[in-house]
Amino acid sequence: MALLETTKLSKSFGGLRAVSDLDIAIEPGTIHGLIGPNGSGKSTFFNLVTGVYQSDPGSRIVFDGTEITNMPSHEVGALGIARTFQLLRLFSDMTVLQNLMVGYHTHVSYSILTAIFDRGAVQRYDARTTEEMMDLLEFIGLADYAEMPASELSGGQRRLLALGRAMAMRPKLLMLDEPAAGLSPVNVEHFLAIVMKLKEKFGLTILIVEHILKVVMETCDTVTVLDYGEKIGEGTPNEVKDDHAVIEAYLGQEMDDDEVRAILRT
Amino acid sequence: MTVATAIVRPFTQAVGKLSAVHRLAPWLLVYLLLLPLPYVLSGLFNDYYVYLANRICIFILLTVGLNIVKGFCGQVTIGHVGLYAIGAVSSALVSLHLGAPFWVSFPIGVLVAGVAGIIVGLPSVRLEGAYLALATLGLGESVRIMIAVTPLFGSSTGLIGIPTPEIGGFVFDSFERYYYLLITATMIGIYLSFSILRSATGRAFMAIREDTIAASVHGINVPQYKLLAFVISALYAGAAGALFAHMPPGYIHHNNFTIIEMVTLLLMVVLGGIGHIWGGVIGAIIVTIIYDQTLEFYFYQPLLFGLSMVILVMFMPRGIGGVIDRYFVTRRFIGAREGKTDGAP
């Protein structure tokens, strides 16, 4: 059974159908790529799954046997879906460690009453959590910056922190929205290596949106291609690469020599 | 083992092992040091300065509460002074008309303010920033006007003769004596604010301040936590209000709850440092003293405070707490950079 399954998922903004009757199934344990030109509905898909947007009537999203259509974001997060954002949305004024501690929020077992009346218990609990988070920070290579405000980090470190914060949720499904955007080729490799290690260690399923096709081709098991909110292709990276509709969406229609000359002349 | 783990880990492990005695010891020490303050003040200056210390205590309670909702949760509220008024009036009415002792009317005042806090907080679920500020401003002002026009709440004469607290024959009927009550409440208030904010709840508040959508995606029930922040801050305001009402000479008037008071409060929080627990305390002390020393120029005070606020926001947006923080962060940052040898991104 698929870990995440959407049926007839649609979302309109006024007259624009950003996502249109989308059926996607993500198998557990795989890395699923989502590609498509700008404005093809990839980020909208993320926002629909994580409850940031409400989907149109008739849509259905099922995660791990639970229907999560239009469920509030925090409940989706508690079920085990973590995501990163294209623009990261880090908690910039908080420290790196605190960012991760917020990620861990759904697993915190004490209530505010414990916090008020038994400060010792809270301190002991948080110390244990801190240990765990430090392990995670060491894993992604940010341990030295634990006490830094997130705003002080470099671009590459911020991307890692966003990943770490999502992993602190102990998710089953990790959704990465253009995780490698703006990274240098060396750092892209570094980043992907960490993602692969995390996947192996925690048995993750990963959904990845990426513009750098090399990343998609090398890492993904399955790729879904979107254009104008509709699915125009799906399959292994190699199948998709040769798909006519996909090439057209990305590069436009093939032109013969006369047409090219006509354009050049004007 | 990396540098940071060498520094951070022993620390967290040590904190985990601290016993309650160790944790409370510094607080008790500060409390004991502050207890004889009235005698020092009346000895060095005169009784008026004891009254000033009392005012500072009340403002500290107010700013610590305001800091929770504004500084930590990032919700701009200008209705705080309304909650302060509600706490003051309800506690005063319960003791004036029902003859209840302070120890009964005080918790009632705090609770009524807490319930009112839910109402002030409700707009925050839908509104943000300046719009929320306007909505809460409306609520705060309408509370003051209600007091000003309703005879039961004191209208233009104010409520007179609110009884002073008493415990086992000891009556808190002078500024010196009332100070003991206030400093106790203030220390407890600050300690509790530490307990709440240095926990998952406090981190959830900060996450909402930083980015609502990211907070929500990471499993934080945003509307619920916003309301919680409003209620907690309302409880602080209510406590401050009730303590103010019963302070000798036991008189409250709607002029104590004007928008000017609110601006003063905001200035305290901004000066001390938004989002720093000690910030509100520092701000309350400094601004109350400045307020007091400029009383001769009463009519220019709003101008002075308004201008200070603009200048602060422009040149020192994080206040005194921010400057101190900045210093330590920079030092730590240099430390982390020097400790690094590998070339990870």
Side-chain angles (χ1 to χ4, degrees):
Chain A
M1 194 187 70
L3 184 67
L4 181 80
E5 195 165 14
T6 68
T7 334
K8 287 196 170 300
L9 184 65
S10 304
K11 174 70 185 173
S12 309
F13 295 105
L16 177 80
R17 275 174 87 80
V19 168
S20 176
D21 289 336
L22 199 58
D23 297 339
I24 288 184
I26 296 167
E27 298 302 325
T30 60
I31 300 185
H32 196 117
L34 196 59
I35 61 172
N38 286 324
S40 59
K42 307 180 299 288
S43 289
T44 308
F45 177 78
F46 267 46
N47 287 334
L48 287 171
V49 171
T50 51
V52 176
Y53 292 161
Q54 301 280 298
S55 55
D56 292 348
S59 309
R60 207 172 126 82
I61 311 170
V62 177
F63 173 70
D64 206 12
T66 317
E67 173 151 6
I68 59 164
T69 323
N70 294 341
M71 195 184 256
S73 295
H74 64 270
E75 287 177 28
V76 176
L79 279 176
I81 300 184
R83 68 168 289 186
T84 63
F85 295 88
Q86 214 173 337
L87 299 174
L88 299 183
R89 291 178 174 275
L90 294 177
F91 305 130
S92 334
D93 260 6
M94 298 169 75
T95 66
V96 168
L97 185 60
Q98 281 176 327
N99 268 271
L100 263 71
M101 299 281 267
V102 171
Y104 191 77
H105 187 84
T106 47
H107 302 284
V108 172
S109 60
Y110 60 82
S111 71
I112 183 171
L113 291 177
T114 320
I116 293 172
F117 294 111
D118 193 355
R119 178 139 178 72
V122 168
Q123 282 183 335
R124 280 189 295 277
Y125 188 94
D126 277 359
R128 270 203 305 280
T129 313
T130 304
E131 287 281 297
E132 263 181 66
M133 296 302 121
M134 286 304 292
D135 284 337
L136 188 54
L137 279 177
E138 244 161 62
F139 204 87
I140 60 172
L142 286 181
D144 280 342
Y145 298 89
E147 296 293 311
M148 289 291 121
S151 55
E152 305 278 338
L153 299 181
S154 72
Q157 289 168 339
R158 280 173 204 225
R159 300 229 156 243
L160 284 173
L161 176 57
L163 176 68
R165 185 179 64 174
M167 282 310 299
M169 295 174 75
R170 301 263 177 274
K172 293 177 197 147
L173 174 65
L174 178 65
M175 298 168 63
L176 302 170
D177 197 351
E178 295 198 27
L183 290 180
S184 69
V186 180
N187 284 348
V188 170
E189 299 271 318
H190 179 74
F191 187 92
L192 284 178
I194 291 173
V195 172
M196 297 310 279
K197 271 199 287 180
L198 285 170
K199 176 181 185 292
E200 213 154 286
K201 189 173 174 196
F202 296 101
L204 286 174
T205 306
I206 295 174
L207 174 66
I208 184 166
V209 164
E210 190 49 76
H211 273 305
I212 306 174
L213 288 181
K214 185 169 168 278
V215 171
V216 178
M217 296 303 158
E218 280 175 8
T219 54
C220 294
D221 301 308
T222 319
V223 178
T224 303
V225 191
L226 299 185
D227 194 22
Y228 294 108
E230 285 178 42
K231 182 156 84 175
I232 57 168
E234 191 168 56
T236 64
N238 275 325
E239 286 166 15
V240 168
K241 199 165 66 182
D242 299 329
D243 191 311
H244 206 72
V246 175
I247 295 169
E248 202 176 292
Y250 260 92
L251 304 173
Q253 257 172 324
E254 271 181 78
M255 287 185 287
D256 60 35
D257 288 356
D258 288 345
E259 279 175 301
V260 173
R261 268 186 225 112
I263 291 169
L264 286 176
R265 229 175 280 136
T266 53
Chain B
M1 198 199 273
T2 50
V3 179
T5 42
I7 299 167
V8 176
R9 291 217 155 151
F11 179 71
T12 53
Q13 280 159 359
V15 166
K17 284 179 197 132
L18 275 185
S19 67
V21 178
H22 284 103
R23 213 168 36 246
L24 287 171
W27 291 88
L28 282 173
L29 189 69
V30 173
Y31 177 61
L32 289 177
L33 282 175
L34 283 174
L35 266 185
L37 189 68
Y39 293 98
V40 178
L41 285 175
S42 58
L44 282 178
F45 310 104
N46 54 44
D47 271 5
Y48 176 75
Y49 287 89
V50 183
Y51 163 74
L52 200 63
N54 286 3
R55 271 188 73 87
I56 289 176
C57 283
I58 288 172
F59 274 120
I60 287 176
L61 275 176
L62 279 169
T63 50
V64 167
L66 186 60
N67 214 350
I68 290 173
V69 71
K70 185 178 188 306
F72 280 82
C73 202
Q75 306 302 302
V76 190
T77 168
I78 312 191
H80 204 60
V81 78
L83 299 166
Y84 173 51
I86 288 173
V89 170
S90 40
S91 177
L93 286 180
V94 168
S95 62
L96 277 175
H97 293 286
L98 303 178
F102 171 79
W103 311 107
V104 175
S105 70
F106 174 77
I108 292 177
V110 174
L111 280 180
V112 173
V115 173
I118 300 178
I119 298 164
V120 179
L122 278 176
S124 77
V125 176
R126 296 253 161 215
L127 301 175
E128 268 180 18
Y131 302 101
L132 178 62
L134 280 177
T136 52
L137 168 68
L139 283 167
E141 263 302 277
S142 53
V143 167
R144 188 186 68 82
I145 292 165
M146 274 297 288
I147 295 171
V149 299
T150 316
L152 176 67
F153 300 153
S155 64
S156 55
T157 53
L159 290 171
I160 303 158
I162 303 161
T164 43
E166 182 195 340
I167 188 164
F170 185 88
V171 188
F172 298 90
D173 55 357
S174 66
F175 289 136
E176 273 96 354
R177 290 178 168 196
Y178 205 75
Y179 173 83
Y180 300 131
L181 190 61
L182 279 171
I183 193 69
T184 312
T186 308
M187 289 300 286
I188 293 174
I190 300 174
Y191 178 76
L192 286 182
S193 122
F194 264 95
S195 306
I196 295 168
L197 295 172
R198 298 264 164 95
S199 75
T201 311
R203 291 193 294 270
F205 287 162
M206 286 196 278
I208 291 171
R209 174 190 71 196
E210 296 293 316
D211 194 310
T212 316
I213 290 177
S216 159
V217 164
H218 287 88
I220 291 163
N221 188 342
V222 173
Q224 192 186 312
Y225 273 96
K226 277 185 181 172
L227 278 182
L228 182 65
F230 269 97
V231 170
I232 294 172
S233 90
L235 294 175
Y236 273 88
L243 284 166
F244 175 64
H246 293 270
M247 183 164 75
Y251 170 66
I252 52 172
H253 187 266
H254 66 82
N255 272 353
N256 296 124
F257 313 114
T258 57
I259 185 75
I260 308 288
E261 301 281 314
M262 188 63 222
V263 172
T264 316
L265 270 181
L266 280 177
L267 182 64
M268 290 172 183
V269 175
V270 172
L271 174 71
I274 290 174
H276 288 86
I277 303 176
W278 287 113
V281 179
I282 298 168
I285 295 170
I286 296 177
V287 175
T288 314
I289 290 171
I290 293 176
Y291 181 91
D292 182 73
Q293 294 300 314
T294 55
L295 268 181
E296 296 173 53
F297 316 107
Y298 179 78
F299 291 106
Y300 299 103
Q301 270 182 344
L303 184 68
L304 172 72
F305 286 174
L307 276 178
S308 326
M309 182 96 88
V310 171
I311 293 168
L312 267 176
V313 170
M314 281 176 74
F315 297 106
M316 216 166 90
R318 284 160 202 222
I320 296 169
V323 171
I324 297 169
D325 226 31
R326 188 76 222 163
Y327 173 74
F328 284 110
V329 164
T330 315
R331 276 178 38 152
R332 258 186 262 149
F333 194 55
I334 294 166
R337 273 280 150 88
E338 280 171 352
K340 273 187 76 69
T341 46
D342 54 338

